[in-house]
Each structure stands twice: as structure tokens, then as C-alpha cells.
Amino acid sequence: MEKNMIGKYLRDLRRRRGMSQQELALALGVSKQTISNWEVGRKVPRMKAVDKIANIFGVSRNSILAGLPVEMLEQADRRVVDLTYRDIRLTYLGQQVPREYIDIIEKLMRWDIAERDAQ
């Protein structure tokens, strides 16, 4: 599994659309450097940017977050694990996900859910 799946998927979507990094940056209201940072894996887009990217390319937000086309997500044999289960060890690329990372993900999810509920 690749470490920079979101960035590689974003670059692939952009190139298939025939867009430059500058064109995508203008469409998203960010700098060309931000797009470059996402594509090489230095940074990842925030949730609002992910939503805009999904709309621009006509793909799901989950597809972008997973860094995979939706068809591959549907074919993947994955178990659902709730992050609130404290006794489950989550791994990524064979490494255990530190508890502090899971806490950060939970905070982001609560923020995203609250933001959607407010709309």
C-alpha cells in the first residue's frame, strides 16, 4: 500500500481532467504550492477542500480520503471498526496507529459532523 495515496489519486484525477495544478488551485481557492504539497504527500487537504475536490471531479469524499476510485473501495474486503472501540488495535501500513492519532481523527470527525448538522 502506498503512503501517499490521497496525493497520487488527486494528481491522477487532475491529470485525467487535463487540469494544471494552477487551474485546480484557482478552482479551490488555494495556492499552486498547496496543490503540489498535497500531491507529493507533504500535506493533506482539509475536509472543506476534500468536499470541493469531490464536487469538481464528480467523485465521493470517501474515495478521495481513501485515495482510491470508488469502484476499488466497493471491491475491498474491509471490516468496519468504530474508532471509539478502545480495545481494538488499528494498524496502517503494518504499523500500529498511535492512540493520539486516533484521538485527533475523532476530534476531526466530531467537528465535521457538527459542521454538517449546522448547515
Short mmCIF file of all heavy atoms in Angstrom, two decimals, residues 32-94:
data_model
loop_
_atom_site.label_atom_id
_atom_site.label_comp_id
_atom_site.label_asym_id
_atom_site.label_seq_id
_atom_site.Cartn_x
_atom_site.Cartn_y
_atom_site.Cartn_z
N LYS A 32 -1.02 27.24 -5.82
CA LYS A 32 -0.47 26.13 -6.60
C LYS A 32 0.46 25.29 -5.70
O LYS A 32 0.49 24.06 -5.81
CB LYS A 32 0.30 26.67 -7.80
CG LYS A 32 0.96 25.60 -8.64
CD LYS A 32 1.71 26.23 -9.81
CE LYS A 32 2.38 25.18 -10.64
NZ LYS A 32 3.76 24.93 -10.25
N GLN A 33 1.17 25.94 -4.80
CA GLN A 33 2.06 25.23 -3.88
C GLN A 33 1.28 24.28 -2.97
O GLN A 33 1.74 23.18 -2.67
CB GLN A 33 2.86 26.23 -3.03
CG GLN A 33 3.89 25.57 -2.14
CD GLN A 33 4.96 24.83 -2.93
OE1 GLN A 33 5.47 25.33 -3.92
NE2 GLN A 33 5.30 23.63 -2.50
N THR A 34 0.08 24.69 -2.57
CA THR A 34 -0.76 23.82 -1.74
C THR A 34 -1.11 22.55 -2.51
O THR A 34 -1.02 21.44 -1.96
CB THR A 34 -2.05 24.56 -1.31
OG1 THR A 34 -1.67 25.66 -0.48
CG2 THR A 34 -3.00 23.65 -0.55
N ILE A 35 -1.49 22.70 -3.78
CA ILE A 35 -1.80 21.53 -4.60
C ILE A 35 -0.58 20.63 -4.70
O ILE A 35 -0.67 19.41 -4.54
CB ILE A 35 -2.29 21.94 -6.01
CG1 ILE A 35 -3.53 22.85 -5.94
CG2 ILE A 35 -2.54 20.71 -6.88
CD1 ILE A 35 -4.74 22.22 -5.32
N SER A 36 0.58 21.22 -4.95
CA SER A 36 1.81 20.46 -5.04
C SER A 36 2.10 19.72 -3.74
O SER A 36 2.45 18.53 -3.75
CB SER A 36 2.98 21.39 -5.39
OG SER A 36 4.19 20.67 -5.40
N ASN A 37 1.92 20.39 -2.61
CA ASN A 37 2.15 19.76 -1.30
C ASN A 37 1.23 18.57 -1.09
O ASN A 37 1.64 17.55 -0.53
CB ASN A 37 1.98 20.77 -0.17
CG ASN A 37 3.15 21.72 -0.05
OD1 ASN A 37 4.26 21.43 -0.49
ND2 ASN A 37 2.90 22.88 0.52
N TRP A 38 -0.02 18.70 -1.51
CA TRP A 38 -0.96 17.58 -1.39
C TRP A 38 -0.51 16.41 -2.26
O TRP A 38 -0.52 15.26 -1.83
CB TRP A 38 -2.36 17.99 -1.81
CG TRP A 38 -3.05 18.98 -0.93
CD1 TRP A 38 -2.72 19.32 0.36
CD2 TRP A 38 -4.19 19.76 -1.27
NE1 TRP A 38 -3.60 20.27 0.83
CE2 TRP A 38 -4.51 20.55 -0.14
CE3 TRP A 38 -4.98 19.87 -2.41
CZ2 TRP A 38 -5.59 21.44 -0.13
CZ3 TRP A 38 -6.04 20.75 -2.40
CH2 TRP A 38 -6.35 21.52 -1.26
N GLU A 39 -0.15 16.72 -3.50
CA GLU A 39 0.18 15.66 -4.45
C GLU A 39 1.45 14.89 -4.09
O GLU A 39 1.54 13.71 -4.39
CB GLU A 39 0.27 16.23 -5.87
CG GLU A 39 -1.09 16.64 -6.41
CD GLU A 39 -1.05 17.09 -7.86
OE1 GLU A 39 0.03 17.08 -8.50
OE2 GLU A 39 -2.13 17.45 -8.38
N VAL A 40 2.39 15.55 -3.46
CA VAL A 40 3.63 14.84 -3.08
C VAL A 40 3.55 14.29 -1.66
O VAL A 40 4.48 13.62 -1.21
CB VAL A 40 4.89 15.72 -3.25
CG1 VAL A 40 5.09 16.12 -4.71
CG2 VAL A 40 4.86 16.92 -2.34
N GLY A 41 2.47 14.56 -0.96
CA GLY A 41 2.27 13.97 0.36
C GLY A 41 2.84 14.76 1.52
O GLY A 41 2.91 14.25 2.63
N ARG A 42 3.26 16.01 1.28
CA ARG A 42 3.75 16.83 2.39
C ARG A 42 2.61 17.24 3.32
O ARG A 42 2.80 17.41 4.51
CB ARG A 42 4.44 18.09 1.86
CG ARG A 42 5.86 17.87 1.45
CD ARG A 42 6.57 19.19 1.14
NE ARG A 42 7.48 18.94 0.06
CZ ARG A 42 7.31 19.32 -1.19
NH1 ARG A 42 6.26 20.02 -1.53
NH2 ARG A 42 8.19 19.01 -2.11
N LYS A 43 1.44 17.44 2.71
CA LYS A 43 0.25 17.83 3.47
C LYS A 43 -0.95 17.10 2.87
O LYS A 43 -0.87 16.54 1.78
CB LYS A 43 0.02 19.34 3.39
CG LYS A 43 1.13 20.15 4.01
CD LYS A 43 0.83 21.61 4.01
CE LYS A 43 1.98 22.36 4.68
NZ LYS A 43 1.70 23.78 4.78
N VAL A 44 -2.06 17.14 3.60
CA VAL A 44 -3.30 16.57 3.08
C VAL A 44 -4.37 17.66 3.11
O VAL A 44 -4.34 18.55 3.97
CB VAL A 44 -3.78 15.34 3.89
CG1 VAL A 44 -2.81 14.19 3.73
CG2 VAL A 44 -3.98 15.66 5.34
N PRO A 45 -5.32 17.59 2.19
CA PRO A 45 -6.37 18.62 2.17
C PRO A 45 -7.28 18.52 3.38
O PRO A 45 -7.52 17.44 3.90
CB PRO A 45 -7.13 18.32 0.88
CG PRO A 45 -6.69 16.99 0.41
CD PRO A 45 -5.43 16.64 1.10
N ARG A 46 -7.78 19.67 3.82
CA ARG A 46 -8.76 19.70 4.91
C ARG A 46 -10.11 19.26 4.35
O ARG A 46 -10.32 19.19 3.14
CB ARG A 46 -8.85 21.11 5.49
CG ARG A 46 -7.55 21.51 6.16
CD ARG A 46 -7.66 22.86 6.77
NE ARG A 46 -6.37 23.22 7.34
CZ ARG A 46 -6.22 24.08 8.31
NH1 ARG A 46 -7.27 24.68 8.82
NH2 ARG A 46 -5.03 24.35 8.77
N MET A 47 -11.03 19.00 5.26
CA MET A 47 -12.32 18.44 4.85
C MET A 47 -13.09 19.34 3.88
O MET A 47 -13.71 18.86 2.94
CB MET A 47 -13.19 18.12 6.08
CG MET A 47 -12.65 16.96 6.90
SD MET A 47 -12.35 15.45 5.94
CE MET A 47 -14.00 15.02 5.50
N LYS A 48 -13.05 20.66 4.08
CA LYS A 48 -13.75 21.55 3.15
C LYS A 48 -13.16 21.44 1.76
O LYS A 48 -13.88 21.44 0.77
CB LYS A 48 -13.71 23.00 3.64
CG LYS A 48 -14.65 23.25 4.79
CD LYS A 48 -14.75 24.72 5.10
CE LYS A 48 -15.71 24.90 6.25
NZ LYS A 48 -16.36 26.17 6.26
N ALA A 49 -11.83 21.35 1.69
CA ALA A 49 -11.17 21.19 0.39
C ALA A 49 -11.51 19.84 -0.22
O ALA A 49 -11.73 19.74 -1.43
CB ALA A 49 -9.66 21.35 0.53
N VAL A 50 -11.58 18.80 0.61
CA VAL A 50 -11.94 17.47 0.11
C VAL A 50 -13.33 17.52 -0.52
O VAL A 50 -13.57 16.97 -1.60
CB VAL A 50 -11.87 16.41 1.23
CG1 VAL A 50 -12.50 15.09 0.79
CG2 VAL A 50 -10.43 16.18 1.66
N ASP A 51 -14.27 18.20 0.14
CA ASP A 51 -15.62 18.33 -0.42
C ASP A 51 -15.60 19.05 -1.77
O ASP A 51 -16.27 18.63 -2.71
CB ASP A 51 -16.53 19.08 0.55
CG ASP A 51 -16.92 18.25 1.76
OD1 ASP A 51 -16.91 17.01 1.66
OD2 ASP A 51 -17.23 18.85 2.81
N LYS A 52 -14.82 20.13 -1.86
CA LYS A 52 -14.73 20.87 -3.13
C LYS A 52 -14.09 20.00 -4.22
O LYS A 52 -14.54 20.00 -5.37
CB LYS A 52 -13.92 22.15 -2.94
CG LYS A 52 -14.63 23.21 -2.14
CD LYS A 52 -13.74 24.44 -2.00
CE LYS A 52 -14.38 25.51 -1.17
NZ LYS A 52 -13.50 26.70 -1.02
N ILE A 53 -13.04 19.27 -3.85
CA ILE A 53 -12.37 18.39 -4.82
C ILE A 53 -13.35 17.34 -5.33
O ILE A 53 -13.42 17.06 -6.52
CB ILE A 53 -11.13 17.73 -4.18
CG1 ILE A 53 -10.06 18.78 -3.87
CG2 ILE A 53 -10.57 16.64 -5.08
CD1 ILE A 53 -8.96 18.30 -2.93
N ALA A 54 -14.11 16.76 -4.41
CA ALA A 54 -15.09 15.73 -4.78
C ALA A 54 -16.10 16.31 -5.78
O ALA A 54 -16.44 15.66 -6.77
CB ALA A 54 -15.81 15.20 -3.54
N ASN A 55 -16.55 17.53 -5.54
CA ASN A 55 -17.51 18.16 -6.45
C ASN A 55 -16.89 18.46 -7.82
O ASN A 55 -17.51 18.23 -8.85
CB ASN A 55 -18.06 19.45 -5.84
CG ASN A 55 -19.03 19.19 -4.72
OD1 ASN A 55 -19.69 18.16 -4.68
ND2 ASN A 55 -19.12 20.11 -3.79
N ILE A 56 -15.67 18.95 -7.82
CA ILE A 56 -15.01 19.27 -9.08
C ILE A 56 -14.84 18.04 -9.96
O ILE A 56 -15.09 18.07 -11.16
CB ILE A 56 -13.64 19.94 -8.81
CG1 ILE A 56 -13.85 21.36 -8.28
CG2 ILE A 56 -12.77 19.95 -10.08
CD1 ILE A 56 -12.58 22.02 -7.76
N PHE A 57 -14.42 16.93 -9.35
CA PHE A 57 -14.12 15.73 -10.12
C PHE A 57 -15.25 14.72 -10.17
O PHE A 57 -15.14 13.69 -10.83
CB PHE A 57 -12.84 15.07 -9.59
CG PHE A 57 -11.62 15.93 -9.78
CD1 PHE A 57 -10.93 16.44 -8.70
CD2 PHE A 57 -11.16 16.23 -11.06
CE1 PHE A 57 -9.81 17.24 -8.87
CE2 PHE A 57 -10.05 17.03 -11.24
CZ PHE A 57 -9.38 17.55 -10.15
N GLY A 58 -16.36 15.00 -9.48
CA GLY A 58 -17.50 14.10 -9.52
C GLY A 58 -17.23 12.75 -8.89
O GLY A 58 -17.68 11.72 -9.40
N VAL A 59 -16.50 12.76 -7.79
CA VAL A 59 -16.21 11.52 -7.06
C VAL A 59 -16.68 11.71 -5.62
O VAL A 59 -16.98 12.82 -5.18
CB VAL A 59 -14.71 11.15 -7.11
CG1 VAL A 59 -14.25 10.90 -8.53
CG2 VAL A 59 -13.86 12.22 -6.45
N SER A 60 -16.71 10.64 -4.86
CA SER A 60 -17.15 10.74 -3.47
C SER A 60 -16.02 11.24 -2.58
O SER A 60 -14.84 11.07 -2.88
CB SER A 60 -17.64 9.39 -2.95
OG SER A 60 -16.55 8.52 -2.74
N ARG A 61 -16.41 11.83 -1.47
CA ARG A 61 -15.44 12.28 -0.48
C ARG A 61 -14.67 11.07 0.07
O ARG A 61 -13.46 11.14 0.25
CB ARG A 61 -16.16 13.01 0.65
CG ARG A 61 -15.22 13.43 1.74
CD ARG A 61 -15.82 14.39 2.70
NE ARG A 61 -17.00 13.88 3.36
CZ ARG A 61 -17.62 14.51 4.32
NH1 ARG A 61 -17.20 15.68 4.72
NH2 ARG A 61 -18.68 13.99 4.90
N ASN A 62 -15.35 9.96 0.29
CA ASN A 62 -14.68 8.76 0.78
C ASN A 62 -13.63 8.27 -0.18
O ASN A 62 -12.57 7.78 0.23
CB ASN A 62 -15.69 7.65 1.06
CG ASN A 62 -16.52 7.93 2.29
OD1 ASN A 62 -16.16 8.76 3.12
ND2 ASN A 62 -17.64 7.26 2.40
N SER A 63 -13.91 8.38 -1.46
CA SER A 63 -12.96 7.96 -2.48
C SER A 63 -11.67 8.78 -2.36
O SER A 63 -10.57 8.24 -2.42
CB SER A 63 -13.58 8.13 -3.86
OG SER A 63 -12.69 7.75 -4.87
N ILE A 64 -11.82 10.08 -2.17
CA ILE A 64 -10.64 10.94 -2.04
C ILE A 64 -9.89 10.63 -0.76
O ILE A 64 -8.66 10.49 -0.76
CB ILE A 64 -11.04 12.42 -2.09
CG1 ILE A 64 -11.56 12.75 -3.50
CG2 ILE A 64 -9.87 13.33 -1.73
CD1 ILE A 64 -12.20 14.08 -3.63
N LEU A 65 -10.60 10.50 0.34
CA LEU A 65 -9.95 10.23 1.62
C LEU A 65 -9.22 8.89 1.63
O LEU A 65 -8.19 8.74 2.28
CB LEU A 65 -10.98 10.27 2.75
CG LEU A 65 -11.58 11.65 3.02
CD1 LEU A 65 -12.70 11.55 4.03
CD2 LEU A 65 -10.52 12.64 3.46
N ALA A 66 -9.76 7.92 0.90
CA ALA A 66 -9.09 6.62 0.80
C ALA A 66 -8.00 6.63 -0.26
O ALA A 66 -7.13 5.76 -0.28
CB ALA A 66 -10.11 5.53 0.48
N GLY A 67 -8.05 7.61 -1.16
CA GLY A 67 -7.07 7.66 -2.24
C GLY A 67 -7.29 6.59 -3.27
O GLY A 67 -6.37 6.14 -3.94
N LEU A 68 -8.55 6.16 -3.39
CA LEU A 68 -8.90 5.09 -4.32
C LEU A 68 -10.19 5.42 -5.06
O LEU A 68 -11.10 6.01 -4.48
CB LEU A 68 -9.15 3.77 -3.55
CG LEU A 68 -7.98 3.16 -2.81
CD1 LEU A 68 -8.47 2.06 -1.90
CD2 LEU A 68 -6.96 2.63 -3.79
N PRO A 69 -10.30 5.00 -6.31
CA PRO A 69 -11.57 5.14 -7.00
C PRO A 69 -12.66 4.38 -6.25
O PRO A 69 -12.39 3.36 -5.61
CB PRO A 69 -11.32 4.51 -8.37
CG PRO A 69 -9.85 4.51 -8.54
CD PRO A 69 -9.27 4.41 -7.15
N VAL A 70 -13.89 4.88 -6.33
CA VAL A 70 -14.99 4.29 -5.58
C VAL A 70 -15.16 2.81 -5.91
O VAL A 70 -15.51 2.01 -5.05
CB VAL A 70 -16.29 5.10 -5.77
CG1 VAL A 70 -16.86 4.92 -7.16
CG2 VAL A 70 -17.31 4.73 -4.72
N GLU A 71 -14.87 2.43 -7.15
CA GLU A 71 -15.01 1.02 -7.53
C GLU A 71 -14.08 0.14 -6.69
O GLU A 71 -14.44 -0.96 -6.29
CB GLU A 71 -14.68 0.79 -9.02
CG GLU A 71 -15.40 1.69 -10.00
CD GLU A 71 -14.77 3.06 -10.14
OE1 GLU A 71 -13.54 3.18 -10.31
OE2 GLU A 71 -15.54 4.03 -10.08
N MET A 72 -12.89 0.62 -6.44
CA MET A 72 -11.94 -0.15 -5.65
C MET A 72 -12.37 -0.20 -4.18
O MET A 72 -12.15 -1.20 -3.51
CB MET A 72 -10.54 0.42 -5.78
CG MET A 72 -9.94 0.21 -7.17
SD MET A 72 -8.28 0.89 -7.30
CE MET A 72 -7.36 -0.31 -6.35
N LEU A 73 -12.97 0.89 -3.71
CA LEU A 73 -13.47 0.88 -2.33
C LEU A 73 -14.55 -0.16 -2.15
O LEU A 73 -14.60 -0.86 -1.16
CB LEU A 73 -14.04 2.25 -1.96
CG LEU A 73 -13.05 3.36 -1.68
CD1 LEU A 73 -13.80 4.66 -1.41
CD2 LEU A 73 -12.16 3.01 -0.53
N GLU A 74 -15.45 -0.24 -3.15
CA GLU A 74 -16.55 -1.19 -3.06
C GLU A 74 -16.06 -2.62 -3.13
O GLU A 74 -16.65 -3.52 -2.54
CB GLU A 74 -17.56 -0.91 -4.17
CG GLU A 74 -18.31 0.39 -3.97
CD GLU A 74 -19.12 0.80 -5.18
OE1 GLU A 74 -19.02 0.16 -6.24
OE2 GLU A 74 -19.85 1.80 -5.06
N GLN A 75 -14.96 -2.85 -3.86
CA GLN A 75 -14.45 -4.21 -4.01
C GLN A 75 -13.59 -4.65 -2.83
O GLN A 75 -13.39 -5.84 -2.61
CB GLN A 75 -13.59 -4.30 -5.28
CG GLN A 75 -14.38 -4.14 -6.56
CD GLN A 75 -13.48 -4.04 -7.76
OE1 GLN A 75 -12.27 -4.10 -7.65
NE2 GLN A 75 -14.07 -3.89 -8.93
N ALA A 76 -13.10 -3.68 -2.07
CA ALA A 76 -12.19 -4.01 -0.97
C ALA A 76 -12.93 -4.81 0.10
O ALA A 76 -14.06 -4.51 0.45
CB ALA A 76 -11.62 -2.73 -0.37
N ASP A 77 -12.26 -5.81 0.60
CA ASP A 77 -12.81 -6.61 1.68
C ASP A 77 -12.34 -5.98 2.99
O ASP A 77 -11.27 -6.27 3.48
CB ASP A 77 -12.32 -8.05 1.58
CG ASP A 77 -12.86 -8.92 2.69
OD1 ASP A 77 -13.93 -8.61 3.22
OD2 ASP A 77 -12.20 -9.92 3.03
N ARG A 78 -13.18 -5.09 3.53
CA ARG A 78 -12.79 -4.35 4.73
C ARG A 78 -13.83 -4.56 5.81
O ARG A 78 -15.02 -4.60 5.55
CB ARG A 78 -12.67 -2.86 4.42
CG ARG A 78 -11.61 -2.58 3.40
CD ARG A 78 -11.61 -1.13 3.01
NE ARG A 78 -10.73 -0.93 1.90
CZ ARG A 78 -9.67 -0.17 1.92
NH1 ARG A 78 -9.36 0.48 2.99
NH2 ARG A 78 -8.91 -0.04 0.87
N ARG A 79 -13.35 -4.66 7.01
CA ARG A 79 -14.24 -4.73 8.17
C ARG A 79 -14.45 -3.33 8.71
O ARG A 79 -13.57 -2.49 8.65
CB ARG A 79 -13.64 -5.61 9.25
CG ARG A 79 -13.50 -7.06 8.82
CD ARG A 79 -12.91 -7.86 9.91
NE ARG A 79 -11.59 -7.32 10.22
CZ ARG A 79 -10.74 -7.88 11.05
NH1 ARG A 79 -11.05 -8.95 11.68
NH2 ARG A 79 -9.56 -7.34 11.28
N VAL A 80 -15.63 -3.10 9.24
CA VAL A 80 -15.93 -1.82 9.85
C VAL A 80 -15.48 -1.86 11.30
O VAL A 80 -15.82 -2.78 12.04
CB VAL A 80 -17.44 -1.51 9.76
CG1 VAL A 80 -17.77 -0.23 10.51
CG2 VAL A 80 -17.87 -1.43 8.31
N VAL A 81 -14.71 -0.89 11.70
CA VAL A 81 -14.24 -0.79 13.07
C VAL A 81 -14.54 0.63 13.55
O VAL A 81 -14.12 1.60 12.94
CB VAL A 81 -12.72 -1.05 13.18
CG1 VAL A 81 -12.24 -0.87 14.60
CG2 VAL A 81 -12.39 -2.45 12.67
N ASP A 82 -15.28 0.74 14.62
CA ASP A 82 -15.59 2.05 15.18
C ASP A 82 -14.39 2.55 15.97
O ASP A 82 -13.82 1.81 16.78
CB ASP A 82 -16.82 1.94 16.09
CG ASP A 82 -17.40 3.30 16.41
OD1 ASP A 82 -16.67 4.11 17.00
OD2 ASP A 82 -18.56 3.54 16.05
N LEU A 83 -13.99 3.79 15.73
CA LEU A 83 -12.82 4.33 16.41
C LEU A 83 -13.01 4.42 17.92
O LEU A 83 -12.05 4.52 18.67
CB LEU A 83 -12.49 5.72 15.87
CG LEU A 83 -11.90 5.78 14.47
CD1 LEU A 83 -11.69 7.23 14.06
CD2 LEU A 83 -10.61 5.01 14.38
N THR A 84 -14.24 4.40 18.38
CA THR A 84 -14.47 4.51 19.83
C THR A 84 -14.23 3.20 20.56
O THR A 84 -14.21 3.18 21.78
CB THR A 84 -15.91 5.00 20.11
OG1 THR A 84 -16.84 4.07 19.55
CG2 THR A 84 -16.14 6.38 19.55
N TYR A 85 -14.02 2.10 19.85
CA TYR A 85 -13.68 0.83 20.50
C TYR A 85 -12.25 0.92 21.00
O TYR A 85 -11.30 0.86 20.25
CB TYR A 85 -13.81 -0.35 19.53
CG TYR A 85 -15.18 -0.63 19.01
CD1 TYR A 85 -15.35 -1.40 17.87
CD2 TYR A 85 -16.33 -0.15 19.63
CE1 TYR A 85 -16.61 -1.68 17.36
CE2 TYR A 85 -17.59 -0.43 19.13
CZ TYR A 85 -17.72 -1.19 18.00
OH TYR A 85 -18.97 -1.46 17.52
N ARG A 86 -12.09 1.05 22.29
CA ARG A 86 -10.76 1.28 22.87
C ARG A 86 -9.90 0.03 22.90
O ARG A 86 -8.69 0.11 23.02
CB ARG A 86 -10.89 1.85 24.28
CG ARG A 86 -11.60 3.18 24.35
CD ARG A 86 -10.78 4.25 23.73
NE ARG A 86 -11.46 5.53 23.88
CZ ARG A 86 -11.22 6.56 23.12
NH1 ARG A 86 -10.35 6.49 22.17
NH2 ARG A 86 -11.87 7.68 23.30
N ASP A 87 -10.50 -1.15 22.81
CA ASP A 87 -9.72 -2.38 22.92
C ASP A 87 -9.28 -2.95 21.57
O ASP A 87 -8.74 -4.04 21.50
CB ASP A 87 -10.52 -3.43 23.70
CG ASP A 87 -11.84 -3.79 23.03
OD1 ASP A 87 -12.35 -2.96 22.25
OD2 ASP A 87 -12.36 -4.87 23.30
N ILE A 88 -9.48 -2.19 20.49
CA ILE A 88 -9.10 -2.66 19.16
C ILE A 88 -7.81 -1.95 18.75
O ILE A 88 -7.68 -0.74 18.89
CB ILE A 88 -10.21 -2.40 18.13
CG1 ILE A 88 -11.41 -3.26 18.45
CG2 ILE A 88 -9.71 -2.64 16.72
CD1 ILE A 88 -12.57 -3.07 17.53
N ARG A 89 -6.85 -2.75 18.24
CA ARG A 89 -5.60 -2.18 17.75
C ARG A 89 -5.75 -1.91 16.27
O ARG A 89 -5.93 -2.82 15.48
CB ARG A 89 -4.46 -3.15 17.99
CG ARG A 89 -4.11 -3.29 19.45
CD ARG A 89 -2.99 -4.25 19.67
NE ARG A 89 -1.91 -3.99 18.70
CZ ARG A 89 -0.80 -4.70 18.63
NH1 ARG A 89 -0.62 -5.70 19.46
NH2 ARG A 89 0.11 -4.43 17.74
N LEU A 90 -5.67 -0.64 15.88
CA LEU A 90 -5.74 -0.26 14.48
C LEU A 90 -4.32 -0.16 13.93
O LEU A 90 -3.42 0.30 14.61
CB LEU A 90 -6.45 1.08 14.32
CG LEU A 90 -7.89 1.14 14.81
CD1 LEU A 90 -8.42 2.56 14.71
CD2 LEU A 90 -8.77 0.19 14.02
N THR A 91 -4.16 -0.61 12.67
CA THR A 91 -2.86 -0.50 12.03
C THR A 91 -2.99 0.21 10.70
O THR A 91 -4.07 0.24 10.10
CB THR A 91 -2.23 -1.88 11.79
OG1 THR A 91 -3.06 -2.64 10.91
CG2 THR A 91 -2.03 -2.63 13.09
N TYR A 92 -1.91 0.77 10.25
CA TYR A 92 -1.83 1.40 8.94
C TYR A 92 -0.45 1.09 8.38
O TYR A 92 0.56 1.34 9.04
CB TYR A 92 -2.04 2.92 9.04
CG TYR A 92 -1.95 3.61 7.71
CD1 TYR A 92 -2.98 3.48 6.78
CD2 TYR A 92 -0.86 4.37 7.37
CE1 TYR A 92 -2.91 4.10 5.55
CE2 TYR A 92 -0.78 5.00 6.14
CZ TYR A 92 -1.81 4.86 5.24
OH TYR A 92 -1.74 5.47 4.01
N LEU A 93 -0.42 0.50 7.20
CA LEU A 93 0.82 0.09 6.56
C LEU A 93 1.64 -0.80 7.49
O LEU A 93 2.86 -0.72 7.55
CB LEU A 93 1.64 1.30 6.11
CG LEU A 93 0.98 2.21 5.09
CD1 LEU A 93 1.82 3.45 4.86
CD2 LEU A 93 0.78 1.47 3.77
N GLY A 94 0.94 -1.63 8.25
CA GLY A 94 1.61 -2.58 9.12
C GLY A 94 2.07 -2.02 10.46
O GLY A 94 2.62 -2.74 11.27
#
